[in-house]
Amino acid sequence: MLGNIGPVGILLIVIIALILFGPNKLPELGRAFGRTLREFKEGTKELLKDDDNPEAEKGSRTTAADRQQRTEVEGQFTEVRAEDKPSDSAKDKRLPD
């Protein structure tokens, strides 16, 4: 999208920004925009790193208590799944086809 903007288009954008914000406010806006982009980039890198290796200790924010709670919840989930499976006696009680 922005790759199609030529030098004339960039110059026009800069002139409009100068008119709207003034020469004193423009550097502040540029710094704020740069910080925002940097934080976004770091956040996405962290999310991608966590997705690639969810059990990684280095740089991970999960604590031992979080891991223990996750293990307990997963155990409860498997118990519920085991209860949902029909037993052999339940198959016998079904009506014939």
Side-chain angles (χ1 to χ4, degrees), residues 70-86:
R70 180 179 177 179
T71 305
E72 290 173 4
V73 169
E74 287 174 348
Q76 292 171 355
F77 178 74
T78 53
E79 289 174 8
V80 170
R81 293 287 299 211
E83 291 173 4
D84 287 345
K85 291 183 180 179

Side-chain angles (χ1 to χ4, degrees), residues 35-96:
R35 278 189 229 117
T36 303
L37 285 179
R38 188 179 324 118
E39 289 176 13
F40 179 76
K41 186 177 178 182
E42 290 171 0
T44 54
K45 280 184 181 180
E46 184 177 318
L47 285 175
L48 291 175
K49 182 177 69 172
D50 288 346
D51 286 345
D52 290 341
N53 192 358
E55 298 298 324
E57 292 293 324
K58 185 178 182 183
S60 179
R61 294 182 183 172
T62 58
T63 62
D66 292 336
R67 287 189 297 276
Q68 180 182 3
Q69 184 178 10
R70 180 179 177 179
T71 305
E72 290 173 4
V73 169
E74 287 174 348
Q76 292 171 355
F77 178 74
T78 53
E79 289 174 8
V80 170
R81 293 287 299 211
E83 291 173 4
D84 287 345
K85 291 183 180 179
S87 64
D88 291 333
S89 62
K91 289 180 185 176
D92 296 337
K93 293 180 183 177
R94 286 189 285 169
L95 296 173

